[in-house]
Amino acid sequence: MGELPPYLFARIDQMKAAKIQSGTDVIDLGVGDPDLPTPPHIVEALCTAAHDPKNHHYPSYAGMDAYRAAVSGWYKKRFGVTLDPGKEVLALMGSKDGIAHIPEAFVNPGDYVLAPSPGYPVYRTSTLFAEGKVYEMPLRQERQFLPDLDAIPADVVRSARLMFLNYPNNPTSAITLPGFFEEAVDFATDHDLIIVHDNAYSEIAYDGYTAPSFLATPGAMEIAVEMHSLSKTYNMTGWRIGMACGNAEILAGLGRVKTNVDSGVFDAVQRAAINALSGPQDCIREACRIYQERRDVLVSGLRELGHSVEPPRATFYVWMKVEDSLQFASRLLDEAGIVVTPGIGFGAGGEGYVRFALTRPSERIREAVDRLREISP
Ligand SMILES: *Cc1c(COP(=O)(O)O)cnc(C)c1O
């Protein structure tokens, strides 16, 4: 327990609460939770399913056949990836569930896990729960925020069991580049390690960009699983539903851990998720249009204030260079009532940056820019 950092987002919530208590109108561009509602047809499907007593029992551990078939159908249509719904799809209570439990299946005490830094904090903490050691792969701007696999020390690689990757990336908003996934598959194959690709943001993309599945990379099905989720795609963060897809043996290991921890996802939620994955997809386009408008307001505002910042092609984050991430974030909260996430909260590699989330309306983002202008030196 001593090695676990306090979950940064919980601490920011406390600071934010204190600020609100003191009467400040806080603009929260911190946590990555969509402000847009779940599309109505998905909510309707939940209501209908909740009324049906058939859905009131313990769900199956791996997920309903119909849910896994819907995931498989969606992967085929969206990514061109063929998945056997019986063996290559597992229901999750959100992708965090899969990320948090997979090291228990494959990491022995002292084994290394390779995790991007900055990165989603759970890659690190799930490794610590399994008594593994974390090797932080720095994501640097000059390498387009892709890790340098050749720079990982040989002794670390030798005892590494698992590598986490995440593109489109939180928090840097970077996308993968041609050849990188292929390089990662070769690396994992050569060094006998598992790749866990976190694809939570595949649908949040702009300017014509379409994110791939890692599983579409030749050879990936032999060594990888992909964690995915309906959270960001359909504004369903509170519903807790996702999927792990890919290599059947790796999924069996994860499934074995999970049967001993949880008892599956509420069937009514799975029914609603089937509706989301198989129903009309224009809600995603609409959400992306809204995020893109917000992105443009924020990026042009920040640029006017002299910050150097790139408009992201995916995710709903803007990753901006600053001097000292904690100091910058606390100054923004204190002097302007704006919450942003300090990069250091995502690991040592995040120092020198802050993350803005585009999860507030354009008017609020415009107001945030106005407040920034007033406190700018
Ligand atoms: C939001 C997020 C997740 C977790 O989402 P779930 O709601 O658990 O599906 C996983 N990875 C990254 C990088 C995220 O930003």
Side-chain angles (χ1 to χ4, degrees):
M1 291 306 289
E3 290 204 35
L4 292 180
Y7 201 63
L8 182 88
F9 303 123
R11 235 184 65 203
I12 291 173
D13 272 352
Q14 285 172 355
M15 284 164 58
K16 186 182 94 178
K19 203 73 191 164
I20 291 171
Q21 194 85 47
S22 75
T24 308
D25 171 27
V26 169
I27 303 176
D28 188 354
L29 306 178
V31 177
D33 186 351
D35 59 321
L36 305 168
T38 306
H41 70 281
I42 304 173
V43 178
E44 277 308 315
L46 172 75
C47 294
T48 307
H51 280 295
D52 185 347
K54 278 207 304 292
N55 295 325
H56 294 174
H57 304 282
Y58 280 120
S60 83
Y61 288 111
M64 299 170 114
D65 290 346
Y67 174 64
R68 289 188 286 162
V71 169
S72 164
W74 186 78
Y75 254 76
K76 182 79 203 167
K77 204 160 137 194
R78 172 61 182 81
F79 300 118
V81 170
T82 306
L83 297 171
D84 174 351
K87 292 198 292 263
E88 293 168 343
V89 179
L90 183 68
L92 298 175
M93 294 176 290
S95 44
K96 187 176 185 178
D97 172 21
I99 295 162
H101 289 119
I102 199 162
E104 290 294 353
F106 298 105
V107 176
N108 284 322
D111 287 349
Y112 268 106
V113 169
L114 312 175
S117 177
Y120 185 58
V122 187
Y123 307 143
R124 177 187 172 79
T125 51
S126 64
T127 301
L128 296 177
F129 277 127
E131 297 180 55
K133 290 194 283 199
V134 182
Y135 178 81
E136 295 194 18
M137 302 183 289
L139 305 186
R140 298 208 173 89
Q141 194 152 9
E142 61 268 25
R143 291 187 53 88
Q144 284 78 44
F145 300 109
L146 297 170
D148 184 355
L149 303 182
D150 295 329
I152 305 168
D155 59 318
V156 171
V157 174
R158 219 170 297 121
S159 59
R161 293 293 299 129
L162 212 126
M163 180 196 293
F164 285 107
L165 291 174
N166 166 222
Y167 294 96
N169 184 261
N170 175 10
T172 68
S173 73
I175 57 177
T176 189
L177 293 178
F180 176 68
F181 282 176
E182 287 78 0
E183 184 192 335
V185 168
D186 286 346
F187 185 87
T189 309
D190 289 349
H191 300 291
D192 192 26
L193 52 90
I194 293 168
I195 290 185
V196 179
H197 183 248
D198 180 355
N199 209 359
Y201 293 95
S202 71
E203 304 314 294
I204 313 299
Y206 317 107
D207 308 329
Y209 176 66
T210 306
S213 164
F214 190 83
L215 301 176
T217 317
M221 285 296 290
E222 309 303 313
I223 50 96
V225 291
E226 185 159 83
M227 303 298 178
H228 212 309
S229 158
L230 282 74
S231 287
K232 315 287 162 60
T233 307
Y234 302 102
N235 309 323
M236 288 173 70
T237 49
W239 298 53
R240 313 312 306 136
I241 177 117
M243 56 276 205
C245 301
N247 181 272
E249 265 179 79
I250 303 172
L251 289 185
L254 172 61
R256 195 157 153 194
V257 172
K258 274 173 51 59
T259 51
N260 288 287
V261 174
D262 66 71
S263 299
V265 178
F266 183 24
D267 279 345
V269 169
Q270 294 189 57
R271 290 267 172 224
I274 293 168
N275 240 268
L277 293 169
S278 328
Q281 303 294 301
D282 42 333
C283 51
I284 304 175
R285 251 192 319 277
E286 177 58 12
C288 291
R289 190 192 61 74
I290 293 171
Y291 292 134
Q292 181 163 344
E293 184 187 301
R294 297 170 177 182
R295 175 197 74 169
D296 294 342
V297 170
L298 182 63
V299 169
S300 60
L302 291 171
R303 282 179 166 176
E304 272 172 38
L305 295 177
H307 293 287
S308 125
V309 56
E310 289 301 315
R313 301 195 60 195
T315 78
F316 43 60
Y317 302 115
V318 171
W319 186 240
M320 188 179 86
K321 220 178 184 119
V322 295
E323 284 276 301
D324 176 315
S325 72
L326 266 177
Q327 198 188 347
F328 187 91
S330 29
R331 179 160 173 253
L332 244 57
L333 184 58
D334 274 344
E335 297 177 23
I338 299 167
V339 179
V340 297
T341 310
I344 186 79
F346 300 100
E351 183 43 40
Y353 292 85
V354 292
R355 188 193 75 177
F356 293 83
L358 301 169
T359 50
R360 289 294 174 267
S362 292
E363 308 84 75
R364 291 293 273 172
I365 293 179
R366 210 167 278 126
E367 181 175 347
V369 171
D370 289 342
R371 291 190 196 176
L372 282 176
R373 190 172 297 116
E374 269 163 42
I375 66 161
S376 277

